[in-house]
Every structure is written in C-alpha cells, then in structure tokens.
C-alpha cells in the first residue's frame, strides 16, 4: 500500500499566520491527492481534491499544490475557525485509499 | 442537498457483529459509490473499503478482509457495513462517505455524521 507521511503532526499558530502542511507519498501518485479538515466531534470535510482544486464553498485562503510524491496544504491567513486537524488522502491506488496521519493545528 | 444519515450508536460484546446503515438523499444513489472509514478514539482516519452503488462491486482493506461486508439497497438508497468477530480495538466512530467512480477521482464528499461502535464485555 502507498504510505502517506504528514508533517508536522502538531502545529501551534496564531490568527493571521500563514500555515503550511506537507504530505509525502511513498511512491508517485501524480495529482491524485485530497485534503480534509476535521473539527472535534465532527465528520471530516473535503477541502481540496486533485491536489490543487478547491472544493466548492471552501474559502480561498486554503490552497493546495504538488504532484508526484510531495504535496502541500497552505492556509494563507489562519482564522479562528481553521483550528482543526487536517488529513491528506491518496486517490491513486484502486485497492487502498490511505490517509496521512493528520496534522493538528492549535492556537498559540 | 446531498446528505448521508447514519444509524445510531451501538454497544457490542467481543465476538459479536454490528451492521451500520447509511441512507443517502439529494442525488442519484447509483451514480456514486460509498466508502467506509473508521476512527478509533484519539486516532486518525482508517479507510475500510468501498462499494459501487451501481453494480455492488466491492474493494476492502486487506486487514479487514473476511470480517467486513459492504452492501447496498438501491430501493431505499441505503448502504450497509457489517463487521463481524468484533474485538475491543474495533471500538471507533464509523463514517460513510459518497465517493466518485473512476481511478484517481474517488475523493469523499460528503460524509455521514458518524456512528460510534463500542466493543466491550
């Protein structure tokens, strides 16, 4: 199975900060990557698919980039409602749609 | 609007089985698949498998092969996930999610609200 490694696993930041989360795949996955946001006690929410396409309704401060084995999720100016855990997911393998381990973004 | 509504929380004893339902509305059920994901307390997301609502084809995570069965009822637009021979480490919140067809396109949106399954003697 394709493994995804997210870094950092924990991030402390202030409102207004620019935040970048990295997701590395154990083998090339083209642009077949999605990003999700999960708040405590809630289901995950799709933010970005195809590595860089913003899901409808998601604020433009979120952006994604990358292809092959290295991907990033960037929040250009962190807002109070963005404090959550973020997961990447590879969509390349038909047999296993694995997730990264998650990055928890907390208030500094 | 597109919505997935899951069945309520369950408490099961080790060795028992659980069947979680996921009722879809707001879209043509057979035009998408349904994936299942679980999340143990304080842990990350674990993909369990996927079922085509069009023809019932399934794809299960290797570690759950033989214990999990996913089915759909197109007459009620409902998907089901049954997990057998439950163990304490199966305690988790179980989510369903609508999934596109086609390799590379199978992102999950939207998700159900989650169903807590607790396995305890």
């Amino acid at each position: 199975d394709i493994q995804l490694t997210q870094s950092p696993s924990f991030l402390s930041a202030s409102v207004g900060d620019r935040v970048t989360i990295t997701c590395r795949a154990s083998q090339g996955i083209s642009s077949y990557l999605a990003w999700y946001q999960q708040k405590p006690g809630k289901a995950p929410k799709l933010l970005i698919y195809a590595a860089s396409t913003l899901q409808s309704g998601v604020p433009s401060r979120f952006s994604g980039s990358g292809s092959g084995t290295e991907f990033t999720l960037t929040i250009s100016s962190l807002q109070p409602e963005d404090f959550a855990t973020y997961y990447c997911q590879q969509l390349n393998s038909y047999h296993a749609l694995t997730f990264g381990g998650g990055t928890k973004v907390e208030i500094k | 609007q597109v919505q997935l509504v899951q069945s309520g929380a369950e408490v099961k004893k080790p060795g028992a089985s659980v069947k979680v339902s996921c009722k879809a509305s707001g879209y043509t059920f057979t035009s998408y698949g349904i994936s299942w994901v679980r999340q143990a307390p304080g842990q990350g997301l674990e993909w369990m498998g996927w079922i085509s609502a069009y023809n019932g084809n399934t794809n299960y995570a290797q570690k759950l092969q033989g214990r999990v069965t996913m089915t759909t009822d197109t007459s009620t637009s409902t998907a089901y996930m049954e997990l057998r021979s439950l163990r304490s480490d199966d305690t988790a919140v179980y989510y369903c999610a609508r999934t596109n067809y086609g390799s590379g396109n199978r992102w999950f949106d939207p998700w159900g609200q989650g169903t807590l399954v607790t396995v305890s003697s």
Side-chain angles (χ1 to χ4, degrees):
Chain A
D1 290 357
I2 297 172
Q3 308 300 319
L4 295 178
T5 303
Q6 281 185 240
S7 60
S9 55
F10 176 86
L11 188 160
S12 182
S14 301
V15 172
D17 283 353
R18 181 182 182 87
V19 166
T20 299
I21 298 168
T22 299
C23 178
R24 289 188 174 87
S26 58
Q27 63 190 75
I29 57 171
S30 185
S31 296
Y32 300 143
L33 189 99
W35 289 96
Y36 301 87
Q37 177 194 64
Q38 186 180 32
K39 296 182 179 179
K42 299 294 187 182
K45 171 188 168 185
L46 177 68
L47 296 177
I48 287 168
Y49 59 91
S52 61
T53 302
L54 203 64
Q55 172 68 344
S56 175
V58 174
S60 59
R61 63 181 178 272
F62 290 92
S63 64
S65 65
S67 67
T69 61
E70 187 150 336
F71 302 86
T72 59
L73 172 70
T74 299
I75 309 171
S76 60
S77 177
L78 199 64
Q79 297 303 300
E81 59 268 31
D82 301 336
F83 292 95
T85 300
Y86 294 85
Y87 293 94
C88 57
Q89 181 196 26
Q90 64 84 14
L91 309 173
N92 184 69
S93 170
Y94 180 77
H95 296 289
L97 301 174
T98 47
F99 291 91
T103 297
K104 186 173 185 180
V105 178
E106 289 202 341
I107 301 172
K108 183 183 284 185
Chain B
Q1 76 282 20
V2 177
Q3 196 173 9
L4 300 177
V5 178
Q6 299 182 221
S7 49
E10 304 261 14
V11 179
K12 296 292 183 180
K13 294 194 182 303
S17 298
V18 69
K19 192 169 186 176
V20 178
S21 68
C22 170
K23 185 170 176 58
S25 60
Y27 71 97
T28 301
F29 184 64
T30 53
S31 294
Y32 294 83
I34 295 286
S35 294
W36 290 88
V37 175
R38 69 180 180 177
Q39 186 170 37
Q43 302 301 307
L45 303 172
E46 179 185 11
W47 178 78
M48 299 179 67
W50 171 90
I51 182 167
S52 164
Y54 176 72
N55 59 16
N57 285 350
T58 55
N59 203 0
Y60 300 141
Q62 192 167 10
K63 70 174 284 188
L64 296 174
Q65 288 273 3
R67 287 208 299 139
V68 67
T69 301
M70 297 175 187
T71 56
T72 59
D73 180 346
T74 56
S75 69
T76 60
S77 298
T78 303
Y80 298 91
M81 186 284 300
E82 182 181 32
L83 189 61
R84 299 176 294 278
S85 302
L86 289 168
R87 309 186 289 247
S88 58
D89 62 356
D90 291 318
T91 294
V93 176
Y94 288 75
Y95 295 101
C96 62
R98 189 182 72 164
T99 308
N100 294 314
Y101 295 130
S103 181
N105 292 335
R106 292 189 292 153
W107 51 84
F108 297 177
D109 181 66
W111 296 55
Q113 83 276 19
T115 297
L116 176 62
V117 175
T118 303
V119 183
S120 174
S121 55

